[in-house]
Amino acid sequence: MAPEIKYTKLFIDNKWVDAVSGKTFDTYNPHDGSVIATVAEGDEADINLAVAAAKRAFHRNSEWRLMDAAQRWAILDKFADLVQRDTQYLAELECYNNGMLLSSAILSLKYNVVENIRYLASLADKIQGDTIPLSGEVFAYTLKQPIGVCGLILPWNGPILLFIVKVVAALAAGCTVVVKPAEQTPLTALALAALLQEAGLPAGVVNVVNGFGVGAGTTLTHHPDVAKISFTGSLEVGKLIQQAAGANNLKRVTLELGGKSPLVIMDDADLNAAIPYAAYSIFSHQGQMCIAASRVYVQSGVYDKFVQGAVAMAKKRVIGNPTDPATEHGPQIDAEMFNKVLGYIEAGKKEGAKVLTGGKRVGNTGYYIEPTVFVDVTDDMKIAKEEIFGPVQCILKFDTLEEVIERCNNTNYGLAAGIFTSNLNTALQFSKHAEVGKVWINTYLMMGPQAPSGGWKDSSIGIENGLQAVDAFLEQKTVAINLPKKF
Ligand code: NAD
C-alpha cells in the first residue's frame, strides 16, 4: 500500500505554507508514472521568504546562535532517533517517489543515514581553532565560525542521504539553511523537515522550498543574503551555479557533480569477487549513482571469462516493482532519464559497440530498462565518455597497467575508481596514479560518514563527510591580542 503523504506544502520558519503564487506541481511514482501527490511549487517569492527566515534565525542574538554547540549536537542526535523511529515510513516514501528498492531504502536508512546523522552531529562541539606563535608582544588565535545562510540544492538520486549529508553538516557548523530538493523527489525532504522540527530546532534554522531549478534554484544561487551554496547534481548545472554564485556576492561553493568512474579488472583478479562487484557497482539503483562503475577495463587474459560472467550477472537480476522484497532492479526515475538512457544505448550501437544482453525497455508502464552489457567499446565512443546514469555496463579491453592508468584518467571526470587484483604493488600503483577522489581496491562503493568524499577535476569542488565535513560551512578568523609582555 502507498504510504500516506503527510506533507506537501513548503516549510518556512517552522510553518507549513502554500507557495505565494498558489502554484503546485505533481510528483510521480517511477514504477508506473502515476501521480502520488501534488506539492507546493516555490519560486522567487518563497525563496526570499525562506532566506529572510534563515537570516533572522542566524542573527547573532538568536536562540540558534546563542545555543551551546553541545545542545546543537543533542538536537541533531534526537533527529537521528526520530529518523530511526520512522525508518519504515521514510523508506516507503523514498521507494514511491524515487523508485529506490524498498529493501535498499530500509538498509540505507538503518545503517547509513542514521550513522551519517550521528557522526555529523557529533562534530558540532569539536570545532576548534589554533593558537598562533605570532612574533612580538602578542597572543593570537583562530576562531572558526558558521558562514551564515546556506542554500543547499539537491539531486533526485539519493534524496534522503544527500539531504542528511548537507543539512546535518551545515547545522552542526551552526549555519541556517534553505533546502531546494530536486523537483522529481520533493516528498522525503518535507518529511525530514518535520522530524527536525519535532527534534526541537528553532524556527527558521531549516527551511525547505520545493520547486524547479530555474525559479527556486536560480533565486537561491543569486540571493545576496545567501553566503554559501552547496550543490549536488550534474556538471552542466554545477557550472551555472558557480557562475551565479559570483554574480551578486561572493558565495562559497561546494559542488558534488557527475562521474564516469573506471573499474579495472587485472588478469590476477579473483573473478569470483570481481564479476559480482562489477555488476553491483553499475546496476545498483539502476545505475543512478554518481560513483557508478560505468567503464569496466578488463585485462586481455581474463577478458572472455569476465564478459561471460558479466552477462550472466546482468541476465539474472530480478526486475520488478521496487516494493517487492525479491526485486533487484527497479525503474529509472522519470521519462526524461528513461529516454536519455535508451538514447545512449542507441548511440553505443550506432558507434559500433555490441549489446550482449539488455538494451531494451521492460514492460509498457513505468520507466524500466534492462540491465545492459556492452562490449567492443572504445574510449572515443559517447557511451565511454559521457555519464549515462543508467544500467549500462561498458566493457573495454586493455593489456598493461601503464596503458589502463592512462586510459582511466583520460576523462574530465574524477570521482572514483576501482581495481581488482591480487598484487599489492599493482593496487598501490593504480591508487597513486588514478586522478580521482576515491579508490577502491578489491571492493567498490564502500563509503561511510567517517571517510572524506569528494572528486577531482570536473567532478567536484570541496569535500563532504569525514572530520572536514563541517569546514565547508565555516569561516575562519584570526584574533591577535596585544600583551604587555610576551609569555
Ligand atoms: P541536476 O543538475 O539536473 O539537478 C540538481 C538540482 O539542481 C535540482 O534540484 C535542480 O532543480 C537544480 N537546478 C537545476 N538547474 C538549476 C539552476 N540553473 N540553478 C540552480 N539550481 C538548479 O541533477 P540531477 O539530474 O538531479 O542529479 C543527477 C546528477 O547528480 C548526476 O550527474 C550525478 O552524477 C550527480 N550526483 C553527484 C553526486 C556526488 O556526490 N558527486 C551525488 C549524487 C548525484
Side-chain angles (χ1 to χ4, degrees), residues 153-460:
I153 302 181
L154 308 179
W156 51 261
N157 68 323
I160 293 180
L161 184 63
L162 296 171
F163 178 102
I164 294 306
V165 165
K166 289 194 193 301
V167 172
V168 182
L171 299 185
C175 292
T176 59
V177 304
V178 176
V179 185
K180 210 298 276 169
E183 53 272 33
Q184 296 88 342
T185 50
L187 298 179
T188 45
L190 298 175
L192 291 168
L195 296 185
L196 281 163
Q197 183 179 28
E198 189 181 339
L201 272 192
V205 173
V206 169
N207 306 274
V208 178
V209 179
N210 276 303
F212 291 85
V214 175
T218 45
T219 305
L220 200 52
T221 54
H222 285 88
H223 203 298
D225 289 337
V226 172
K228 156 109 195 179
I229 293 286
S230 181
F231 169 80
T232 298
S234 61
L235 170 58
E236 190 191 355
V237 175
K239 286 180 179 169
L240 295 175
I241 286 188
Q242 201 177 14
Q243 286 166 11
N248 293 326
N249 60 343
L250 211 57
K251 293 181 180 63
R252 280 66 179 132
V253 178
T254 295
L255 303 175
E256 296 298 337
L257 310 174
K260 191 73 196 170
S261 301
L263 174 62
V264 173
I265 315 294
M266 302 297 294
D267 278 346
D268 60 9
D270 172 3
L271 290 190
N272 290 329
I275 291 169
Y277 257 111
Y280 161 71
S281 309
I282 181 67
F283 296 133
S284 297
H285 200 24
Q286 295 78 253
Q288 302 170 127
M289 300 173 292
C290 53
I291 46 181
S294 49
R295 293 184 286 155
V296 186
Y297 286 95
V298 186
Q299 204 166 11
S300 34
V302 290
Y303 183 84
D304 291 340
K305 202 164 169 208
F306 178 89
V307 167
Q308 203 184 9
V311 170
M313 288 301 303
K315 276 190 169 149
K316 75 171 195 210
R317 283 185 81 76
V318 179
I319 305 173
N321 190 329
T323 56
D324 183 340
T327 297
E328 294 172 328
H329 190 94
Q332 308 308 122
I333 182 78
D334 61 10
E336 189 183 329
M337 281 309 296
F338 171 80
N339 288 322
K340 192 170 163 190
V341 174
L342 289 176
Y344 272 114
I345 292 173
E346 285 316 303
K349 288 195 232 166
K350 257 197 208 121
E351 287 189 295
K354 197 158 134 203
V355 173
L356 289 190
T357 183
K360 294 190 296 297
R361 167 176 209 171
V362 181
N364 298 316
T365 54
Y367 309 117
Y368 290 85
I369 297 177
E370 293 172 329
T372 300
V373 177
F374 267 112
V375 289
D376 298 343
V377 181
T378 54
D379 293 348
D380 56 338
M381 290 179 184
K382 229 174 131 152
I383 55 170
K385 290 200 299 200
E386 297 178 17
E387 186 182 48
I388 299 175
F389 228 54
V392 181
Q393 186 178 52
C394 296
I395 303 182
L396 306 96
K397 198 191 266 190
F398 75 95
D399 290 311
T400 68
L401 180 63
E402 269 301 308
E403 172 202 337
V404 82
I405 290 173
E406 205 64 30
R407 289 172 66 188
C408 285
N409 288 341
N410 187 19
T411 166
N412 59 321
Y413 287 118
L415 206 49
I419 186 164
F420 276 78
T421 175
S422 50
N423 183 323
L424 181 61
N425 191 44
T426 303
L428 294 180
Q429 286 294 327
F430 179 79
S431 53
K432 177 175 177 191
H433 294 294
E435 295 167 355
V436 295
K438 37 197 160 283
V439 176
W440 287 294
I441 299 170
N442 294 332
T443 183
Y444 205 86
L445 298 182
M446 290 295 290
M447 299 177 74
Q450 303 84 354
S453 176
W456 289 24
K457 302 198 266 189
D458 289 354
S459 282
S460 171

Side-chain angles (χ1 to χ4, degrees), residues 8-28:
T8 56
K9 296 192 178 193
L10 309 177
F11 184 71
I12 299 178
D13 217 9
N14 266 9
K15 294 184 204 72
W16 296 99
V17 294
D18 291 318
V20 172
S21 67
K23 282 197 283 185
T24 57
F25 66 103
D26 291 337
T27 189
Y28 303 90

